[in-house]
Coordinates of all heavy atoms in Angstrom, one line a residue:
E1 N 8.0 -11.7 -5.9 CA 8.2 -11.2 -7.3 C 6.9 -10.4 -7.7 O 7.0 -9.4 -8.4 CB 8.4 -12.4 -8.2 CG 9.7 -13.1 -8.0 CD 9.7 -14.0 -6.7 OE1 8.7 -14.5 -6.3 OE2 10.8 -14.2 -6.2
Q2 N 5.7 -10.9 -7.3 CA 4.5 -10.2 -7.6 C 4.4 -8.9 -6.9 O 4.0 -7.9 -7.5 CB 3.3 -11.0 -7.2 CG 3.1 -12.3 -8.1 CD 2.1 -13.2 -7.5 OE1 1.9 -13.3 -6.3 NE2 1.5 -14.0 -8.4
L3 N 4.9 -8.8 -5.7 CA 4.9 -7.5 -4.9 C 5.8 -6.5 -5.6 O 5.5 -5.3 -5.6 CB 5.4 -7.8 -3.5 CG 4.4 -8.5 -2.6 CD1 5.1 -8.9 -1.3 CD2 3.2 -7.7 -2.3
G4 N 7.0 -6.9 -6.1 CA 7.9 -6.0 -6.7 C 7.7 -5.7 -8.2 O 8.4 -4.7 -8.7
W5 N 6.9 -6.4 -8.8 CA 6.6 -6.2 -10.3 C 6.1 -4.8 -10.6 O 5.2 -4.3 -9.9 CB 5.6 -7.2 -10.8 CG 5.3 -7.1 -12.2 CD1 6.1 -7.4 -13.3 CD2 4.1 -6.6 -12.8 NE1 5.5 -7.1 -14.5 CE2 4.2 -6.7 -14.2 CE3 2.9 -6.2 -12.3 CZ2 3.2 -6.3 -15.1 CZ3 1.8 -5.8 -13.1 CH2 2.0 -5.8 -14.5
I6 N 6.8 -4.1 -11.5 CA 6.4 -2.7 -11.9 C 5.4 -2.8 -13.0 O 5.8 -3.2 -14.1 CB 7.6 -1.9 -12.3 CG1 8.7 -1.9 -11.2 CG2 7.2 -0.5 -12.7 CD1 8.3 -1.1 -9.9
P7 N 4.2 -2.4 -12.8 CA 3.2 -2.5 -13.9 C 3.4 -1.4 -15.0 O 4.1 -0.4 -14.7 CB 1.9 -2.3 -13.2 CG 2.2 -1.6 -11.9 CD 3.6 -2.0 -11.6
P8 N 2.9 -1.6 -16.1 CA 3.0 -0.6 -17.2 C 2.4 0.7 -16.8 O 1.5 0.7 -15.9 CB 2.4 -1.2 -18.4 CG 1.5 -2.3 -17.9 CD 2.1 -2.7 -16.6
G9 N 2.8 1.8 -17.4 CA 2.1 3.1 -17.1 C 2.6 3.6 -15.8 O 3.8 3.4 -15.4
I10 N 1.7 4.2 -15.1 CA 2.0 4.9 -13.8 C 1.4 4.2 -12.6 O 1.4 4.7 -11.5 CB 1.7 6.4 -13.8 CG1 0.2 6.6 -14.0 CG2 2.5 7.1 -14.9 CD1 -0.3 8.0 -13.8
A11 N 0.8 3.0 -12.9 CA 0.3 2.2 -11.8 C 1.4 1.8 -10.8 O 2.5 1.7 -11.2 CB -0.4 1.0 -12.3
N12 N 1.0 1.7 -9.5 CA 1.9 1.3 -8.5 C 2.1 -0.2 -8.3 O 1.1 -0.9 -8.6 CB 1.5 1.9 -7.2 CG 1.6 3.4 -7.2 OD1 2.6 4.0 -7.7 ND2 0.6 4.1 -6.7
P13 N 3.2 -0.7 -7.9 CA 3.5 -2.1 -7.6 C 2.6 -2.6 -6.5 O 2.2 -1.8 -5.6 CB 4.9 -2.2 -7.3 CG 5.6 -0.9 -7.7 CD 4.5 0.1 -7.7
A14 N 2.3 -3.9 -6.5 CA 1.5 -4.5 -5.5 C 2.1 -4.3 -4.1 O 1.3 -4.1 -3.1 CB 1.3 -6.0 -5.8
G15 N 3.4 -4.4 -3.9 CA 4.0 -4.2 -2.6 C 3.7 -2.8 -2.0 O 3.4 -2.7 -0.8
A16 N 3.7 -1.8 -2.9 CA 3.4 -0.5 -2.4 C 1.9 -0.3 -2.0 O 1.5 0.3 -1.0 CB 3.7 0.6 -3.5
I17 N 1.0 -1.0 -2.8 CA -0.4 -0.9 -2.5 C -0.7 -1.6 -1.2 O -1.4 -1.1 -0.3 CB -1.2 -1.6 -3.6 CG1 -1.0 -0.9 -5.0 CG2 -2.7 -1.7 -3.3 CD1 -1.5 0.5 -5.1
L18 N -0.1 -2.8 -1.0 CA -0.3 -3.5 0.3 C 0.3 -2.7 1.5 O -0.4 -2.6 2.5 CB 0.4 -4.9 0.1 CG 0.2 -5.9 1.3 CD1 -1.3 -6.1 1.6 CD2 0.8 -7.2 1.0
A19 N 1.5 -2.2 1.3 CA 2.1 -1.4 2.4 C 1.2 -0.2 2.7 O 1.0 0.1 3.9 CB 3.5 -1.0 2.1
H20 N 0.7 0.5 1.7 CA -0.1 1.6 1.9 C -1.4 1.3 2.6 O -1.9 2.0 3.5 CB -0.4 2.3 0.5 CG -1.4 3.4 0.6 ND1 -1.1 4.6 1.2 CD2 -2.7 3.5 0.1 CE1 -2.2 5.4 1.1 NE2 -3.1 4.7 0.4
A21 N -2.0 0.2 2.2 CA -3.3 -0.2 2.8 C -3.1 -0.4 4.3 O -3.9 0.1 5.1 CB -3.8 -1.5 2.2
V22 N -2.1 -1.1 4.7 CA -1.9 -1.4 6.2 C -1.3 -0.2 6.9 O -1.8 0.1 8.0 CB -1.0 -2.7 6.3 CG1 -0.8 -3.0 7.8 CG2 -1.7 -3.9 5.7
C23 N -0.3 0.4 6.4 CA 0.3 1.6 7.1 C -0.8 2.7 7.1 O -0.8 3.4 8.1 CB 1.5 2.1 6.3 SG 2.9 1.0 6.5
G24 N -1.6 2.8 6.1 CA -2.7 3.8 6.1 C -3.7 3.5 7.2 O -4.1 4.4 8.0
E25 N -4.1 2.3 7.3 CA -5.0 1.9 8.4 C -4.4 2.2 9.8 O -5.1 2.7 10.7 CB -5.4 0.5 8.2 CG -6.6 0.1 9.1 CD -7.1 -1.3 8.7 OE1 -7.2 -1.6 7.5 OE2 -7.4 -2.1 9.6
D26 N -3.2 1.8 9.9 CA -2.4 2.1 11.2 C -2.5 3.6 11.5 O -2.8 4.0 12.6 CB -1.0 1.6 11.0 CG -0.1 1.7 12.2 OD1 -0.6 2.1 13.3 OD2 1.1 1.4 12.1
S27 N -2.2 4.4 10.5 CA -2.2 5.9 10.7 C -3.6 6.4 11.0 O -3.7 7.3 11.8 CB -1.7 6.5 9.4 OG -0.3 6.1 9.2
F28 N -4.6 5.9 10.3 CA -6.0 6.4 10.5 C -6.4 6.2 11.9 O -7.0 7.0 12.6 CB -7.0 5.8 9.5 CG -6.7 6.1 8.1 CD1 -7.0 5.2 7.1 CD2 -6.3 7.4 7.7 CE1 -6.7 5.4 5.8 CE2 -6.1 7.7 6.3 CZ -6.3 6.7 5.4
I29 N -6.1 5.0 12.4 CA -6.5 4.6 13.8 C -5.7 5.4 14.8 O -6.2 5.9 15.8 CB -6.4 3.1 14.0 CG1 -7.4 2.3 13.2 CG2 -6.6 2.8 15.5 CD1 -8.9 2.7 13.4
A30 N -4.5 5.7 14.5 CA -3.6 6.5 15.4 C -4.2 7.9 15.5 O -4.2 8.5 16.6 CB -2.2 6.5 14.9
I31 N -4.6 8.4 14.4 CA -5.3 9.8 14.4 C -6.5 9.8 15.3 O -6.7 10.6 16.1 CB -5.6 10.2 12.9 CG1 -4.4 10.5 12.1 CG2 -6.6 11.4 13.0 CD1 -4.6 10.7 10.6
L32 N -7.3 8.7 15.2 CA -8.5 8.6 16.0 C -8.2 8.4 17.4 O -8.9 8.9 18.3 CB -9.4 7.5 15.4 CG -9.9 7.7 14.0 CD1 -10.7 6.4 13.6 CD2 -10.8 8.9 13.9
K33 N -7.1 7.7 17.7 CA -6.7 7.5 19.1 C -5.9 8.6 19.7 O -5.5 8.6 20.8 CB -6.0 6.1 19.2 CG -6.8 4.9 19.0 CD -6.0 3.7 18.9 CE -5.2 3.4 20.2 NZ -4.4 2.2 20.1

């Protein structure tokens, strides 16, 4: 429920932030490798 909650304004939900953090790290390391 916390992951899917849509905050007011244009802030992103926690689920998107968490997915972005990990998928981004996965992508950055893939670029380096």
Side-chain angles (χ1 to χ4, degrees):
E1 294 75 29
Q2 291 167 333
L3 289 169
W5 178 72
I6 305 292
I10 61 170
N12 293 316
I17 300 296
L18 185 55
H20 172 68
V22 177
C23 291
E25 191 168 319
D26 184 5
S27 297
F28 297 143
I29 294 301
I31 289 167
L32 296 174
K33 291 173 56 179

